[in-house]
C-alpha cells in the first residue's frame, strides 16, 4: 500500500537554529499536508500544498510540494521553544475532500536547553 | 480553520466496560469523519471512516464489533469501545474534512483512554 517516508525521525537542535524535514512517497499525491502535534493533543494543520512546485509559507514555516508530486519538505527558521513537538506529513489517498489520508511516522523536534 | 471537539478528553475505566467517545464538528457539517488511534511515540493509525446515515467503513484489522461507530447527525460521530481491555488503552483522535473544496482534515483534541 501507499506509504509516506518521513525523515529524520528525530532532531535535537539549539534554539535559533533552522530546521528541515522531508517526506517522500513511491506514489503520487495531489495534496501534501503538514501537521504539528503537541503532547496529549490532536494534530494541528500547519500548511497545505495543492500544486506541484508550490512553495508556501506560514510565519517561520515554509513548505514545498515537490515537482514530481512524490515528496515535500518543511523548513522552520529560527526555532523557538514552542516549536517542540512532532511534525507529521500527510497525504490524501484520493482527490475528494472526504477521502482518508495517511500519515508519515513523524519527526520529533527537541530543542536543547 | 474548522473546529472539531471531542468528549471526554480522558477516561479511565475498568476492564470489561464500554466507553463512548464523542466527536463534534462545531462550526460546520461533516458527512464524513475519521477515527484514529495513536499509541505512545507512534503515528496516527486510521481505524475507520464514519459516514452520516450509513455504516462505517473499517480499516483492515480493526474489529467492527469492538469499535462501534455511529454517525447520527451531520455534526456528531461517536466511537464506542465495547468490553474494553488494557490493550485498548490508547489516544483516540477524530477528524473531519474542512468545509472548503480542498481535502485538508481538521482534528479533535483527542481522548486518552486508560483501561485498568
Amino acid at each position: 500500500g501507499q506509504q509516506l517516508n518521513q525523515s529524520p525521525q528525530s532532531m535535537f537542535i539549539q534554539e535559533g537554529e533552522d530546521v528541515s524535514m522531508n517526506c517522500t512517497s513511491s506514489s503520487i499525491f495531489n495534496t501534501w499536508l503538514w501537521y504539528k502535534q503537541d503532547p496529549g493533543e490532536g494534530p494541528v494543520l500547519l500548511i497545505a500544498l495543492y500544486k506541484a512546485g508550490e512553495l508556501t509559507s506560514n510565519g517561520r514555516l515554509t513548505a514545498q510540494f515537490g515537482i514530481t508530486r512524490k515528496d515535500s519538505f518543511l523548513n522552520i527558521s529560527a526555532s523557538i521553544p514552542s516549536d517542540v513537538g512532532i511534525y507529521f506529513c500527510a497525504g490524501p489517498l484520493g482527490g475528494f475532500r472526504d477521502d482518508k489520508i495517511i500519515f508519515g511516522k513523524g519527526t520529533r523536534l527537541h530543542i536543547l536547553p | 480553520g474548522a473546529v472539531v471537539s471531542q468528549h471526554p478528553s480522558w477516561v479511565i475505566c475498568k476492564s470489561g466496560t464500554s466507553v463512548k467517545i464523542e466527536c463534534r464538528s462545531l462550526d460546520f457539517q461533516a458527512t464524513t469523519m475519521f477515527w484514529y488511534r495513536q499509541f505512545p511515540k507512534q503515528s496516527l493509525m486510521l481505524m475507520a471512516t464514519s459516514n452520516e446515515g450509513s455504516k462505517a467503513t473499517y480499516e483492515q484489522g480493526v474489529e467492527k464489533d469492538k469499535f462501534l461507530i455511529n454517525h447520527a447527525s451531520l455534526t456528531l460521530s461517536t466511537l464506542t469501545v465495547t468490553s474494553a481491555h488494557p490493550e485498548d488503552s490508547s489516544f483516540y483522535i477524530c477528524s473531519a474534512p474542512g468545509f472548503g473544496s480542498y481535502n485538508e482534515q481538521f482534528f479533535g483534541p483527542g481522548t486518552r483512554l486508560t483501561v485498568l
Side-chain angles (χ1 to χ4, degrees), chain A residues 97-100, chain B residues 23 25 28-35 48-52 71 73-74 77 95-98 105:
Chain A
R97 64 183 288 275
D98 291 356
D99 286 328
K100 55 188 179 183
Chain B
C23 178
S25 56
F28 66 105
Q29 295 181 336
T31 56
T32 302
M33 291 183 176
F34 301 91
W35 286 97
T49 302
S50 174
N51 304 299
E52 191 268 335
H71 198 141
S73 76
L74 290 172
S77 174
S95 73
Q105 284 186 26

Side-chain angles (χ1 to χ4, degrees), chain B residues 27-90:
Chain B
D27 51 359
F28 66 105
Q29 295 181 336
T31 56
T32 302
M33 291 183 176
F34 301 91
W35 286 97
Y36 295 81
R37 181 168 50 181
Q38 185 179 33
F39 292 107
K41 298 190 177 182
Q42 293 189 21
S43 187
L44 286 76
M45 295 300 297
L46 181 65
M47 300 174 65
T49 302
S50 174
N51 304 299
E52 191 268 335
S54 64
K55 292 183 179 180
T57 305
Y58 291 83
E59 296 300 301
Q60 190 173 8
V62 177
E63 299 174 59
K64 62 181 181 181
D65 294 331
K66 180 168 188 60
F67 298 100
L68 300 179
I69 292 174
N70 183 20
H71 198 141
S73 76
L74 290 172
T75 59
L76 173 63
S77 174
T78 60
L79 169 69
T80 301
V81 183
T82 62
S83 187
H85 289 94
E87 57 266 29
D88 298 323
S89 299
S90 188

Side-chain angles (χ1 to χ4, degrees), chain A residues 10-26:
Chain A
S10 62
M11 304 181 71
F12 293 83
I13 62 168
Q14 300 281 350
E15 183 177 347
E17 285 186 25
D18 296 342
V19 172
S20 183
M21 61 192 77
N22 66 75
C23 199
T24 62
S25 172
S26 58

